[in-house]
Amino acid sequence: MTDYGIISLVPPLVVVAIALKTRLSLEPLVIGCLVGFIIVGKWNFFNAIIDGFTKVMKNDLMVWVIMVCSLYGALIQLMIRSGGVKAFGEYMLRFVGSRKKSLLTTWGFGTFLFVDDYLNALTTGTTMKKLTDHYRVSREMLAFVVSSTAVPICVIVPISTWVIFIAKLLEENQLVPAGKGIASYLGIIPYISYGWIQYLMVPLVVMGIVPMIGKMKQANHRAATTGQLIPDNSEEFAVDVAAYDESKPGSIWYLILPVVVLIASTVYFDLDALKGIIVTLVVTLIYFSIKKVASFKMLSESTIEGMKSMLFALVLLLFSYLLKELGDQMGMTQYVIRSVEPLVSKQWLPLVIFLTLGLISFTTGNSWGLYAIAIPLVIPLAHELDCNVWLCIGAIVSAGAFGAHACFYSDATILAAQGAECNNFQHGITQLPFALISFTLTCLVYILLGYTIA
């Protein structure tokens, strides 16, 4: 790996700058990746592009993401076409009598789906649109609640795909014995400050304790006064809602049963979301066939349409993974950690970890890859400075959670936008002020923890 130093920061900064200037989603990622390939490839520019795409498409994680997201899209389309989503929304309207309650119910529903952030973002947004639309909640606000629940709950509840991944890294780096990663993660949870703060930010915003500000205030005003709930330029995230047979009324069980089976099967297969969604699709198709929800042909067409509905989101994810791969190839994370290492003391180490890695995660949309690089570098640094290792790892997890939540083109942001049928730039820019409030509070917490228990 060639050390590109400060130049490694150029591609993600280009993406952020263009996104803020143009308010576009895909184009900034494409341009940022091209800039990165020019830096890395020089005169072999085209070979660098081919090699980059080939490496990402051969990556096991990218293949897993494509399969999981496509199949999630198929399941969601089946639940929509069956009338299950509509029936569930109408059923919930009996008990939810206000705008605030609709958003708090969304928060609670998302909390229940703690096993995986992809499952959480897509299912919660799709399911709750009927409920929040009734009270003229902007889709930007819905997406904020969804994403502010999906990522934080997955890092603070010790039964999720995130926890499995981080636990394995702890074992691989010999910080804990083999098989003890998840048990040890319990000691990290109190120090995942951003996860706790952002999760609790949702009810504070909904109840008005934290006021509406910036673009979110404008979006909510637009929805309340004009009835335009979906922001402009959200067509790519629209779900095909071709009518099912209205003579066959939908049932809430057409949504509840698939969701319960999905959670149960995912947990049963050691939090393997891919195995969980495959089992759930099979069970759902059999169940819908027995209940005569639709013809076999319509069920098949709905499955394919659901997979196709994820195409734009998957293209965004592909380029975000390319950007992450360029950062790894240029040694960006290693460069940043090396740069700050001589300047940091024991008391300030947790803050520095969160600040530097949080900014990297925000500009690259990279969380899990960041963990894989940063944890092996930070553990010996924490030991060298005699700093609390669990606190430092909590700061790393917080940094990744911040990036996944706040970055305009992270997988969590893209899928929350897909679930809420909202342009991902609009989703990102409207929730950014609240993410920055949580970021600032998290910095203060790590300063306090650095001087008390580090």
Side-chain angles (χ1 to χ4, degrees):
M1 181 180 67
T2 306
D3 187 353
Y4 285 82
I6 196 170
I7 296 175
S8 63
L9 302 176
V10 172
L13 291 178
V14 167
V15 175
V16 173
I18 295 176
L20 290 173
K21 178 68 175 177
T22 64
R23 301 188 178 186
L24 296 173
S25 304
L26 179 59
E27 292 81 352
L29 275 171
V30 173
I31 295 171
C33 288
L34 288 176
V35 170
F37 285 128
I38 291 171
I39 295 172
V40 170
K42 298 182 177 64
W43 300 113
N44 294 318
F45 170 68
F46 293 107
N47 288 337
I49 294 177
I50 294 170
D51 290 344
F53 270 93
T54 302
K55 188 170 183 179
V56 168
M57 293 305 295
K58 283 184 177 180
N59 185 291
D60 291 343
L61 181 58
M62 188 69 227
V63 174
W64 183 89
V65 166
I66 291 173
M67 293 181 69
V68 168
C69 290
S70 298
L71 295 178
Y72 276 162
L75 180 64
I76 288 169
Q77 184 74 318
L78 285 171
M79 293 191 296
I80 292 173
R81 290 285 188 93
S82 69
V85 170
K86 180 181 178 182
F88 185 82
E90 291 173 347
Y91 179 78
M92 292 302 297
L93 281 172
R94 303 179 191 176
F95 308 99
V96 177
S98 69
R99 180 181 183 278
K100 289 181 180 179
K101 287 182 180 179
S102 72
L103 290 169
L104 290 174
T105 301
T106 301
W107 180 59
F109 189 89
T111 300
F112 173 70
L113 301 176
F114 52 79
V115 295
D116 182 69
D117 58 320
Y118 288 9
L119 159 68
N120 197 319
L122 288 169
T123 307
T124 305
T126 302
T127 303
M128 291 298 166
K129 280 186 289 194
K130 172 77 174 178
L131 186 63
T132 56
D133 284 358
H134 181 79
Y135 294 103
R136 288 196 171 189
V137 174
S138 70
R139 292 295 177 83
E140 293 96 323
M141 185 65 186
L142 173 61
F144 161 71
V145 173
V146 169
S147 65
S148 297
T149 307
V151 173
I153 201 66
C154 286
V155 295
I156 61 180
V157 172
I159 308 174
S160 74
T161 50
W162 284 61
V163 173
I164 288 285
F165 179 75
I166 297 168
K168 287 180 180 177
L169 288 176
L170 298 180
E171 294 174 14
E172 289 172 3
N173 288 279
Q174 301 179 338
L175 183 62
V176 298
K180 297 293 184 181
I182 293 179
S184 300
Y185 191 88
L186 295 174
I188 302 172
I189 291 174
Y191 304 128
I192 306 175
S193 303
Y194 185 83
W196 288 107
I197 292 171
Q198 188 57 45
Y199 176 71
L200 296 174
M201 179 65 69
V202 174
L204 295 177
V205 172
V206 171
M207 298 303 293
I209 298 171
V210 174
M212 291 293 167
I213 52 179
K215 299 288 185 181
M216 185 69 82
K217 185 175 181 179
Q218 296 175 20
N220 287 335
H221 178 75
R222 180 202 71 226
T225 56
T226 69
Q228 182 190 343
L229 307 182
I230 303 175
D232 296 332
N233 302 317
S234 297
E235 295 81 7
E236 296 92 342
F237 293 93
V239 178
D240 180 8
V241 289
Y244 57 92
D245 187 352
E246 295 284 355
S247 66
K248 297 178 180 179
S251 167
I252 62 172
W253 292 106
Y254 297 165
L255 180 141
I256 293 176
L257 182 67
V259 170
V260 170
V261 172
L262 182 56
I263 294 172
S265 56
T266 301
V267 172
Y268 178 79
F269 288 110
D270 296 325
L271 299 180
D272 189 325
L274 181 55
K275 292 179 181 177
I277 184 60
I278 291 172
V279 169
T280 304
L281 270 176
V282 172
V283 171
T284 301
L285 287 168
I286 293 173
Y287 175 61
F288 284 1
S289 297
I290 292 172
K291 298 294 289 185
K292 293 182 169 50
V293 169
S295 66
F296 180 75
K297 180 181 179 182
M298 178 175 277
L299 292 175
S300 299
E301 289 175 350
S302 296
T303 301
I304 300 300
E305 284 300 318
M307 296 174 73
K308 286 165 58 178
S309 71
M310 295 300 300
L311 180 60
F312 185 73
L314 287 172
V315 171
L316 283 173
L317 286 174
L318 170 62
F319 278 96
S320 71
Y321 273 72
L322 274 174
L323 187 66
K324 174 258 180 189
E325 170 60 29
L326 285 165
D328 292 348
Q329 191 173 341
M330 290 191 279
M332 181 175 65
T333 302
Q334 293 89 331
Y335 163 72
V336 172
I337 292 178
R338 276 201 320 271
S339 299
V340 301
E341 183 178 345
L343 309 174
V344 68
S345 65
K346 168 184 174 179
Q347 290 77 13
W348 290 94
L349 182 59
L351 173 65
V352 170
I353 290 171
F354 176 68
L355 268 175
T356 54
L357 298 184
L359 292 175
I360 290 173
S361 187
F362 175 76
T363 53
T364 63
N366 180 18
S367 297
W368 285 25
L370 180 78
Y371 293 155
I373 295 172
I375 287 177
L377 295 175
V378 168
I379 289 174
L381 179 59
H383 284 311
E384 182 181 336
L385 295 176
D386 193 28
C387 189
N388 187 314
V389 176
W390 304 122
L391 173 58
C392 292
I393 295 175
I396 296 173
V397 176
S398 282
F402 167 71
H405 172 244
C407 177
F408 295 177
Y409 42 87
S410 72
D411 48 6
T413 297
I414 291 167
L415 295 178
Q418 177 75 40
E421 195 179 330
C422 170
N423 176 281
N424 74 291
F425 178 83
Q426 284 301 117
H427 164 41
I429 200 68
T430 50
Q431 78 169 0
L432 185 59
F434 303 106
L436 292 178
I437 291 171
S438 296
F439 183 86
T440 303
L441 292 173
T442 302
C443 289
L444 295 176
V445 169
Y446 282 130
I447 293 173
L448 177 64
L449 293 176
Y451 275 93
T452 54
I453 65 172

